[in-house]
Amino acid sequence: MDKLIIKGGKKLTGEVSVSGSKNAALPIFVSTILAPGLNEIRNVPFLRDINTTIKVLESLGAVVEGNGNIVRIDTTHVNNVEATYDLVKTMRASVLVLGPLLARHGRARVSLPGGCAIGARPINLHLKGLAALGADIRLEHGYVEAKAKKLKGARINFDISTVGGTEQLMMAAALATGETVLENAAREPEIIDLAEILIKMGARIDGAGTDTVRITGVKELAPVAHDVMPDRIEAGTFMVAAAITGGDIKIRNMNLEHLDALVFKLQDAGVEITNRDNVVRVKGPRRPKAVNIKTRPYPGFPTDMQAQFMALMCVADGASVISENIFENRFMHVSELLRFGADITVEGNTATVKGVKKLSGAPVMATDLRASASLILAGLASDNTTEISRIYHLDRGYESIEKKLAGLGADIQRVKE
């Protein structure tokens, strides 16, 4: 098992390029089930979750080949309709194959999902929506078994905004009979990216990126080529890395508009952010100011940036209040940040962070994907050496982050434990 060793105290400088989005690539890969033939997906990040998705697709009968950041997926012979527990248990997004298999073959058997231990993320809204489209849904022995001769369009109002549920039903409805209307749909940029590849395939979708999405089913979809959008969470993590080290970096291949809520909060903290010719420059202050945040569904402050922003607030001037409104277990990084000398108290879904002048490096353990990033950031801002174990979480969502940070001047290396 690998660990990271960081010698902190260096201001980050230079340029870095953001990889393709994990959260966009996963549903895009799954969508190829709907379009039998050879699909080409470009700007794909090298990540554990990508490899898991490839294994799931191959188990269903797809032929997958990679060349650099280009992955070709031939779904001509996707005939198996079962995604087993051994594959699905490690990654929650695997459950997204349910809708496409059901739409293409009229049946699917998919294990209930796993993933990061950041709280309950039930798929009841996925199943409720598929049932509204006419599917017969049964839960047996830890599997979802779904059948439908032909899915039929319906009006579906989500009880809460759900990214996975919106993606699941967009894909299922693409081959359904008639019109499907998704109300209170998720608005994340990754939803738009999925809609764009589906539209290229021949789907009829309006309103992606708003809270009402309309899908008019078509008889068939055709394979296409598509470029995955940049990873906004990786980009946000680099922005905080510049801020927490008092650095000055330029970030390429990112869409700043996808991070408006984060940008506003970083600017409130004293961070200088400029965008010129699609290159974003981020200059950290001598010491950031304390800022309050509340995580919300997009376009609100992203829950996937809460842990990283908390690390920044650990060295801020003043006290900040951080409210987590998406996942109930997403403060597991707090106990590890305390080992750096941070001053954090948690009550329910709210953390109060009193900034300290300096963090002190320590041996820490990653508990989930974004917590891993927060520990790296704390290590970069510390005055001595930090060792981070269990970084396999990190490899699920960041492509070679230690190499990218080293390229910005960080003293960071990956070693075997």
Side-chain angles (χ1 to χ4, degrees):
M1 196 176 296
D2 293 352
K3 66 178 179 180
L4 291 178
I5 298 178
I6 303 170
K7 294 180 181 179
K10 295 183 180 296
K11 294 183 178 182
L12 300 189
T13 58
E15 295 188 4
V16 66
S17 185
V18 175
S19 299
S21 167
K22 173 189 84 106
N23 289 340
L26 300 183
I28 283 171
F29 271 40
V30 171
S31 73
T32 63
I33 294 171
L34 296 166
L38 184 60
N39 296 270
E40 183 174 280
I41 312 301
R42 301 183 290 249
N43 197 35
V44 177
F46 291 105
L47 301 169
R48 281 184 59 196
D49 279 7
I50 293 293
N51 290 333
T52 300
T53 305
I54 288 172
K55 290 177 182 177
V56 171
L57 290 172
E58 288 176 335
S59 76
L60 299 175
V63 177
V64 184
E65 295 180 351
N67 181 14
N69 293 100
I70 298 174
V71 177
R72 296 178 178 87
I73 307 171
D74 189 341
T75 54
T76 304
H77 302 294
V78 170
N79 297 314
N80 179 25
V81 296
E82 179 174 335
T84 64
Y85 172 71
D86 286 345
L87 290 171
V88 178
K89 68 179 180 181
T90 61
M91 190 187 68
R92 176 179 170 75
S94 303
V95 78
L96 290 175
V97 302
L98 186 60
L101 287 175
L102 192 58
R104 177 169 167 179
H105 291 298
R107 57 195 180 94
R109 185 172 189 266
V110 179
S111 172
L112 290 170
C116 271
I118 57 173
R121 295 187 284 178
I123 63 166
N124 60 306
L125 298 181
H126 298 229
L127 305 184
K128 184 178 178 181
L130 291 172
L133 296 179
D136 175 29
I137 306 288
R138 297 182 183 182
L139 297 178
E140 295 183 352
H141 310 298
Y143 279 78
V144 178
E145 298 197 14
K147 293 181 181 179
K149 286 186 178 180
K150 182 67 177 177
L151 296 177
K152 297 180 180 179
R155 182 176 292 273
I156 299 166
N157 190 303
F158 292 112
D159 294 336
I160 58 173
S161 176
T162 163
V163 175
T166 301
E167 293 167 342
Q168 182 86 266
L169 295 173
M170 275 174 51
M171 291 188 285
L175 292 179
T177 301
E179 183 183 64
T180 297
V181 180
L182 305 180
E183 297 175 333
N184 195 28
R187 300 165 58 187
E188 274 74 0
E190 294 81 8
I191 300 287
I192 298 174
D193 209 19
L194 175 61
E196 287 179 355
I197 187 173
L198 290 171
I199 290 168
K200 285 181 185 178
M201 291 173 174
R204 297 173 61 189
I205 301 173
D206 292 308
T210 74
D211 58 7
T212 302
V213 182
R214 297 179 182 273
I215 308 105
T216 302
V218 297
K219 289 185 177 180
E220 61 182 11
L221 298 176
V224 296
H226 184 76
D227 293 280
V228 176
M229 62 174 272
D231 194 311
R232 62 192 174 100
I233 304 303
E234 182 189 357
T237 301
F238 285 127
M239 294 176 79
V240 176
I244 202 170
T245 63
D248 186 354
I249 71 171
K250 292 180 179 179
I251 307 174
R252 297 184 178 274
N253 190 37
M254 70 170 287
N255 188 331
L256 195 61
E257 293 179 359
H258 291 169
L259 287 166
D260 278 350
L262 173 64
V263 168
F264 293 148
K265 292 298 183 179
L266 285 174
Q267 289 174 330
D268 286 347
V271 181
E272 295 180 27
I273 301 169
T274 55
N275 187 5
R276 183 173 298 171
D277 299 327
N278 292 320
V279 178
V280 177
R281 183 180 179 184
V282 184
K283 187 177 181 181
R286 180 173 296 179
R287 187 180 184 190
K289 301 171 187 175
V291 178
N292 300 335
I293 63 166
K294 295 181 179 180
T295 63
R296 301 286 187 194
Y298 189 86
F301 193 95
T303 181
D304 278 355
M305 283 301 305
Q306 177 258 109
Q308 299 93 310
F309 199 85
M310 183 183 288
L312 178 64
M313 291 299 95
C314 286
V315 294
D317 184 9
S320 58
V321 177
I322 297 176
S323 299
E324 174 55 58
N325 299 300
I326 308 298
F327 295 124
E328 70 272 20
N329 287 350
R330 208 159 204 180
F331 281 150
M332 290 190 293
H333 48 280
V334 169
S335 60
E336 299 303 299
L337 288 174
L338 292 175
R339 293 176 58 79
F340 288 93
D343 185 348
I344 308 169
T345 55
V346 176
E347 186 172 341
N349 70 330
T350 300
T352 301
V353 185
K354 296 179 182 178
V356 298
K357 288 187 176 181
K358 196 71 178 178
L359 296 175
S360 179
V364 292
M365 181 176 68
T367 54
D368 61 70
L369 171 55
R370 304 308 172 186
S372 305
S374 75
L375 301 182
I376 289 176
L377 295 171
L380 294 174
S382 295
D383 60 5
N384 48 18
T385 301
T386 295
E387 293 188 8
I388 306 174
S389 59
R390 294 181 65 182
I391 60 168
Y392 55 85
H393 292 291
L394 191 74
D395 296 333
R396 290 187 52 233
Y398 290 95
E399 182 179 37
S400 303
I401 188 170
E402 73 277 7
K403 294 179 181 178
K404 292 183 178 183
L405 288 171
L408 295 172
D411 188 339
I412 179 173
Q413 58 179 325
R414 179 185 292 248
V415 298
K416 294 289 184 182
E417 286 200 80

